[in-house]
Amino acid sequence: MTAELDLTRLRVLAAVARTGSVTAAAKELHYAQPSVSHHLSRLEADAGIPLLQRHGRGVRLTEAGRLLANRAEEILGRVEGARRELDALAGLRAGRARLAAFPSALATLVPDAVARLVQEHPGLSVGLVEHEPPDAVAALQSGAVDVALVFEHMDVRHARTMDDLSRFESTTILDDPVNLVTAADLDAAPGPGFVPDLRALDDEEWIAGCERCRADLVARCAAVGFAPRIAFETDDYVAVQALVAAGAGVSLLPGLTLRAHRHPGIATAPLPGALRRVMALTVGPPAPPAEALIRQLVAAGADVAA
């Protein structure tokens, strides 16, 4: 009657089959050679049938040995897979995901994603920090966060576009439309079906962010032949909308900022072809808590898009 087969002995047999010798198997497994020979002898006793035979100064597997070695690889693979699944489950029960995100995402996508995450995995905790994309990428590279929520404007490139992000694992969360924002009581305020044309706005005064944040506006205006006259500078999208509503100028704002806060005194219309892509970045494949968070960010992005 065959005895119960020991996983360590199966691992030794698989190593002998893979490497071709007891000596090479011992080296691969970091075992002493006598220890490998002992495990093989015990495995033969457990199996009740010869698994190896002498061949010159070495050994080779019998037919039974080859069969068991093949099955051992399968068994060990399944055991390792089960161990990974258990580790993932343990991580989702008591793990932590750290996220860096820009302000309008923190006010829209992130709360919904976090609420869903903790409902699905009550043992998970989430750390949040506000960072604009370049700082979020730096935090990700340094290991300060597990996930960086960033964006790139897809229709324009300029000197301040972020460095190549291909070194990161990237998951698209949302394609966020960029909108022209004007005062609601202007004669030229966007109405239903209005399609804005930047070239018609070359005489307007503009409200824009800092030099880095306004680079996308400047690039879009340059593409149609003019440089915008920046009258007010602020990165606060609430202040931008208030200034526009007061008639101080016009602006461009992404959809998430308007979802986070919308002043009753403004009118908006999507700028044709203008999109910023919101992405979740990780360094390599995400750990289970970060993967679960990204999955919920994707769901939150789908809700916004719908």
Side-chain angles (χ1 to χ4, degrees):
M1 180 176 178
T2 301
E4 183 176 336
L5 300 179
D6 180 84
L7 285 177
T8 299
R9 294 166 191 163
L10 288 175
R11 186 172 287 107
V12 168
L13 179 66
V16 171
R18 191 166 52 249
T19 62
S21 73
V22 171
T23 301
K27 185 176 181 180
E28 179 183 286
L29 297 171
H30 303 290
Y31 286 178
Q33 187 168 326
S35 178
V36 169
S37 298
H38 173 73
H39 282 304
L40 291 172
S41 296
R42 293 294 302 272
L43 183 61
E44 280 192 322
D46 292 340
I49 188 172
L51 302 176
L52 300 113
Q53 63 185 22
R54 292 287 178 186
H55 181 69
R57 300 181 64 181
V59 296
R60 66 182 177 187
L61 299 181
T62 64
E63 182 180 356
R66 289 193 298 273
L67 184 150
L68 186 56
N70 289 336
R71 293 293 182 265
E73 292 283 9
E74 296 174 13
I75 292 165
L76 294 168
R78 288 180 178 273
V79 170
E80 182 58 31
R83 184 174 288 116
R84 286 196 300 268
E85 290 174 7
L86 288 172
D87 289 344
L89 182 60
L92 289 174
R93 285 180 174 171
R96 178 174 174 81
R98 301 166 299 164
L99 173 69
F102 53 95
S104 60
L106 279 174
T108 53
L109 299 170
V110 173
D112 288 346
V114 170
R116 293 173 179 180
L117 182 67
V118 297
Q119 183 176 18
E120 185 176 343
H121 304 290
L124 274 184
S125 63
V126 181
L128 302 175
V129 61
E130 180 182 310
H131 279 319
E132 291 293 346
D135 295 329
V137 169
L140 180 64
Q141 285 181 305
S142 71
V145 299
D146 306 303
V147 182
L149 199 58
V150 303
F151 61 81
E152 279 194 312
H153 289 267
M154 305 306 294
D155 56 309
V156 289
R157 302 288 295 180
H158 48 74
R160 294 185 177 273
T161 299
M162 281 193 298
D163 293 338
D164 180 23
L165 300 178
S166 63
R167 62 189 184 278
F168 300 109
E169 297 276 338
S170 177
T171 303
T172 298
I173 305 300
L174 174 70
D175 281 341
D176 194 20
V178 177
N179 299 267
L180 173 66
V181 184
T182 65
D185 58 357
L186 285 182
D187 292 339
F194 175 78
V195 178
D197 183 354
L198 284 182
R199 286 170 292 194
L201 301 169
D202 59 349
D203 289 333
E204 296 288 344
E205 291 191 325
W206 289 81
I207 301 160
C210 66
E211 188 173 348
R212 175 176 57 81
C213 297
R214 78 176 66 152
D216 305 295
L217 165 66
V218 172
R220 289 190 178 101
C221 292
V224 295
F226 75 96
R229 291 186 292 117
I230 309 296
F232 296 93
E233 179 183 306
T234 175
D235 292 328
D236 185 339
Y237 53 82
V238 176
V240 169
Q241 293 182 45
L243 288 166
V244 170
V250 298
S251 190
L252 296 181
L253 285 177
L256 286 183
T257 64
L258 298 169
R259 188 178 181 89
H261 171 82
R262 188 180 181 95
H263 194 289
I266 64 170
T268 65
L271 192 65
L275 290 172
R276 68 171 187 176
R277 177 158 295 167
V278 179
M279 302 166 289
L281 305 180
T282 60
V283 177
E291 184 179 21
L293 174 59
I294 291 171
R295 188 166 60 249
Q296 297 303 340
L297 287 168
V298 169
D303 287 348
V304 169

